[in-house]
Structures are given as C-alpha cells and as structure tokens.
C-alpha cells in the first residue's frame, strides 16, 4: 500500500503527514494492546468506545477543577480501571458471555454519559491541559513517547512474565490451565481491568490534542481496535497472538484512512474496509486451521507438578 501511494499520491509520504499519523494513532495503539490481552483469553470487549468517551470527559472535568496533570492522569486511569472492573465482574465471576456483557455496558455507559452531560462538550479547559502544557511541538512527541513506552512494557510483560503466560494458557484451554494451577478466572478478570486502564490512558492522550473534550468521542473505536488486533494475527478463538502483530495491525489501519483521503476517496470507505479486513483476517485464520483448534495442553500429574 505504501509503495502504491508513493506512485499514486507521493505527497502522502511528507514528514508532516507521518507525524500526524503517529500522533493520531498513539491512543489506538494503547487500546489495541489492551484488547489483545482480552482476545488472547478468548473474550472480547465492545464497550471500549463508551469507556473512552467517559474517561475523556473525566479528564476534562478534573483539569477544569484545577488538579495538576499528574492527578488528572491518575483519576482518568482510575475511572478506566473501575469500568474494566465492572466488565471483569460480569464476565469472569458471574460467567456472562463477554460479548453480551460488554454490549450491555456499552449501551449503559454511553447513555449514562449522554444523560449526565446532555451531549455538551467539556470546554474552557486550562492552558496546561492541551498537549500536557508542553506546547504542540513537544506535546506531540510526548504523546507518541508515552504510547510507545507503555506498549513496550506490556509487550515485554506478555512475553516474559508469569502473568503473560497465564493469559496464553487461559485462552488456549481455560479448564486445562486451571488444572495446571493457572488462576484462569483471575486472569480473565485482570485482562478486562488492564484494558480499562490502557483505554483510559488512550482517552487522555487523545483528549489533550484538542481544546475541548467531546462527549461523543470513541464512536466506532471498538471496530477499529478489533480490526487492528485480528489483522495483526491474534486468533479470535484465543491463545495465539503477539503484541508486535497488534502494532503492525495498528500501523495498517492507521495509514488506511489518510491514504484514502490522499487518493480522493470518501471517508465512509474506511469503515467498510475495516469490516472487510476483519472478515478476511478471521476467514484466513479459520481456513488455515490456526483458529479452529487450540494446541493441546498436557494436564498429566507430572506436568502439573512441574507447573
């Protein structure tokens, strides 16, 4: 795609455009990283768009209350963790199907926000809120640096920590993982809470790019995030996938919209292509046999003692 753009729309590769793509998609990377953890455990969360909107409003209100940006960040992430905790309770401990539970919370959170704000934006934000008070030039790179640092830490944890291995084990076979001593229910709860926190941080990184906070932010975010995760190679049936794959998925979808703009196409084609990408990725996964069956897990007493 990039090679074709070099021929059909050479201006796409200007430095300013690439900078805007990086800054604009830094929040998406954080949300997609959290969603990767959830999908790896064979679940899904379609309420993240509503959570994203609420966390953005929370950040704006805390800033208007005069709190320093560090406190604003802690409060915003705390709100995301709390909403992730609600989904964790519904899915991990009450046993509700994740798509049903998060559909319910998606509607409840979005309508609750609409009732609370009456659709009004959070305006008259203090000067220190936009770009974290660092100015546009430095603030752009600060947003990218924060997103990459958090992504790197999560990718490392998923690969090297015991909790990361528990995520893969739970998604491969939750019952076998439980017999091996892996706390599958707690792991499932944890990934929903972590997703809430990462999504809240993404909302903050997005909100500081504007002079006002939109109460309707995050519409359609779940489609773009899920598309990035699936096209990045994470099996929708759980147990397989990498954070690096998600990074590549975000890179593809993050350049898709601007590419269509430079090619003179209508913006609504972006969502259509996102849906097609999800379908193609899932179909390819199923036809190749990677998504149809999970790798067998040894639950013999010897392997249990080793675990």
């Amino acid at each position: 795609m990039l090679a074709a753009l070099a021929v059909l729309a050479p201006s796409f590769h200007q430095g300013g455009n690439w900078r805007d793509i990086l800054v604009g998609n830094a929040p998406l990377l954080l949300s997609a990283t959290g969603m990767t953890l959830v999908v790896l455990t064979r679940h899904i969360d379609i309420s993240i768009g509503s959570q994203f909107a609420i966390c953005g409003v929370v950040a704006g209100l805390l800033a208007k209350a005069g709190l320093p940006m560090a406190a604003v960040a802690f409060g915003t992430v705390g709100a995301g963790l709390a909403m992730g905790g609600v989904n964790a309770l519904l899915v991990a401990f009450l046993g509700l199907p994740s798509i049903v539970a998060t559909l319910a919370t998606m509607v409840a959170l979005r309508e609750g926000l609409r009732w609370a704000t009456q659709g009004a934006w959070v305006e008259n934000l203090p000067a220190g809120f936009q770009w974290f008070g660092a100015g546009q030039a430095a603030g752009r790179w600060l947003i990218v640096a924060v997103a990459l640092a958090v992504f790197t830490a999560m990718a490392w944890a998923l690969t090297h920590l015991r909790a990361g291995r528990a995520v893969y084990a739970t998604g491969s076979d939750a019952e076998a993982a439980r017999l091996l001593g892996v706390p599958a229910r707690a792991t499932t709860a944890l990934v929903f809470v972590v997703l809430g926190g990462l999504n809240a941080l993404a909302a903050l990184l997005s909100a500081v790019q504007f002079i006002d906070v939109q109460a309707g932010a995050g519409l359609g975010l779940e489609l773009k995030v899920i598309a990035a995760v699936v096209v990045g190679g994470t099996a929708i049936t759980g147990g397989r996938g990498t954070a690096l794959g998600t990074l590549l998925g975000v890179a593809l979808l993050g350049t898709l919209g601007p590419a269509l703009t430079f090619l003179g196409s209508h913006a609504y084609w972006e969502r259509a292509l996102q849906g097609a990408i999800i379908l193609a990725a899932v179909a390819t996964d199923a036809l190749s046999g990677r998504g149809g069956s999970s790798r067998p897990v040894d639950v013999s007493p010897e392997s249990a003692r080793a675990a």
Side-chain angles (χ1 to χ4, degrees):
M1 183 179 69
L2 295 178
L5 286 169
V7 176
L8 300 175
S11 57
F12 177 87
H13 292 287
Q14 293 177 351
N17 184 52
W18 276 112
R19 179 200 60 207
D20 292 341
I21 289 175
L22 287 173
V23 175
N25 286 281
L28 176 63
L29 177 60
L30 293 182
S31 296
T33 301
M35 184 65 77
T36 301
L37 302 178
V38 172
V39 175
L40 281 172
T41 59
R42 205 177 293 192
H43 291 287
I44 201 164
D45 187 346
I46 58 174
S47 70
I48 60 170
S50 301
Q51 294 182 39
F52 187 93
I54 290 176
C55 289
V57 170
V58 168
L61 293 176
L62 291 177
K64 283 189 68 174
L67 273 65
M69 281 306 296
V72 170
F74 278 112
T76 303
V77 172
L81 293 173
M83 288 184 285
V86 172
N87 286 334
L89 175 64
L90 295 174
V91 176
F93 297 106
L94 296 184
L96 299 181
S98 58
I99 191 168
V100 175
T102 59
L103 175 62
T105 55
M106 176 186 74
V107 176
L109 292 173
R110 181 70 68 177
E111 294 304 317
L113 178 63
R114 184 175 290 126
W115 172 81
T117 64
Q118 296 298 307
W121 295 9
V122 182
E123 301 175 331
N124 302 317
L125 294 167
F129 181 78
Q130 191 176 21
W131 304 113
F132 295 108
Q136 186 173 6
R140 285 170 168 169
W141 297 115
L142 179 59
I143 287 172
V144 174
V146 170
L148 289 177
V150 174
F151 166 78
T152 301
M154 294 303 301
W156 181 89
L158 187 60
T159 305
H160 294 90
L161 294 185
R162 184 175 181 179
R165 293 192 291 274
V167 169
Y168 283 102
T170 300
S172 295
D173 191 324
E175 181 60 21
R178 186 188 65 80
L179 293 174
L180 287 169
V182 175
R185 182 176 295 181
T187 300
T188 299
L190 177 63
V191 296
F192 277 98
V193 173
V194 171
L195 171 57
L198 291 177
N199 196 44
L201 182 56
L204 177 62
L205 294 185
S206 177
V208 298
Q209 299 181 39
F210 306 98
I211 58 174
D212 301 316
V213 177
Q214 300 182 27
L219 289 172
L221 176 66
E222 57 282 339
L223 176 63
K224 196 167 187 178
V225 167
I226 294 169
V229 171
V230 174
V231 79
T234 300
I236 202 70
T237 50
R240 295 182 180 87
T242 64
L244 178 59
T246 296
L247 174 63
L248 297 176
V250 170
L252 171 63
L253 295 177
T255 55
L256 183 61
L260 290 174
T261 301
F262 274 84
L263 292 173
S265 298
H266 292 288
Y268 58 73
W269 279 108
E270 182 179 1
R271 281 202 180 184
L273 288 174
Q274 288 172 9
I277 286 172
I278 293 176
L279 181 61
V282 173
T284 301
D285 190 64
L287 292 174
S288 66
R290 293 190 299 113
S293 60
S294 299
R295 183 175 52 193
V297 180
D298 185 3
V299 292
S300 63
E302 292 77 9
S303 63
R305 283 194 295 270

